Amino acid sequence: MEIERKFLVRNDDFKAQAVKVRHITQGYLVADGVRTVRIRLCEEDACITVKGKTQAGGFSRHEYEYALPLEDAKEMLSLCLPGYIRKTRYCIPYEGHMWEVDVFEGLHHGLVIAEVELQREDEDVALPDWIDHEVTGDKRYYNSFIAGIQR
């Protein structure tokens, strides 16, 4: 079960705190509101991820992720629905949690979303000062929606 919260980001102060930066390309084989099946390339790594429908409240959903050979994943991207996402991900540790901040490219240049995974839905999480406001559960900030796959 994936439990995460999403936030918009107010400035780029997070970049100086990043311990890892990765460039990501992802596409969707399926995104129908009940499930998504995503292919993701992160430089020299690749995976396929199956996610279920987000539960009430927008915090949690079933998620299954498996590594793929890079060449297979590149070929599978050609089978994806139109609408790829390209983004740079910054990984930032902050008060016991690892934050992932995605800076989107292309059509969504300027969109910056921070995510933090939790162990429980009621878990307290300290917010870094570069966080703006929460968008958890707002489908406009789901990657499949941003890609133009899911409406």
Side-chain angles (χ1 to χ4, degrees):
M1 186 69 71
E2 172 189 56
I3 303 169
E4 73 179 9
R5 292 175 62 188
K6 290 186 176 202
F7 301 83
L8 293 180
V9 174
R10 72 180 65 195
N11 57 47
D12 65 357
D13 291 352
F14 63 88
K15 290 181 179 179
Q17 301 167 30
V19 295
K20 184 192 282 188
V21 179
R22 299 188 82 189
H23 299 283
I24 296 171
T25 300
Q26 68 187 42
Y28 291 86
L29 293 166
V30 176
D32 62 12
V34 176
R35 70 203 57 83
T36 60
V37 180
R38 169 186 80 202
I39 303 297
R40 176 181 278 174
L41 279 77
C42 296
E43 297 165 0
E44 297 303 314
D45 297 317
C47 63
I48 185 168
T49 306
V50 178
K51 293 187 178 194
K53 184 175 182 169
T54 302
Q55 306 294 315
F59 283 92
S60 58
R61 62 183 166 176
H62 292 283
E63 178 183 66
Y64 309 91
E65 187 167 273
Y66 305 96
L68 288 174
L70 186 60
E71 291 308 313
D72 289 356
K74 287 178 181 178
E75 287 180 25
M76 292 173 81
L77 271 180
S78 70
L79 300 173
C80 288
L81 300 164
Y84 294 93
I85 289 178
R86 287 188 172 78
K87 59 189 177 180
T88 301
R89 172 166 288 170
Y90 296 81
C91 298
I92 301 137
Y94 185 79
E95 296 200 17
H97 289 92
M98 182 61 71
W99 287 80
E100 295 178 336
V101 180
D102 290 340
V103 177
F104 289 81
E105 301 169 13
L107 291 174
H108 304 289
H109 176 76
L111 178 61
V112 182
I113 299 175
E115 299 178 353
V116 61
E117 288 201 20
L118 307 173
Q119 298 298 313
R120 303 176 327 275
E121 286 190 9
D122 63 349
E123 183 177 344
D124 287 329
V125 61
L127 303 181
D129 60 3
W130 37 262
I131 289 296
D132 191 353
H133 65 277
E134 188 163 8
V135 294
T136 301
D138 185 336
K139 73 176 187 175
R140 295 176 299 169
Y141 298 101
Y142 294 175
N143 282 310
S144 58
F145 190 89
I146 293 167
I149 308 299
Q150 186 178 335
R151 293 287 171 211

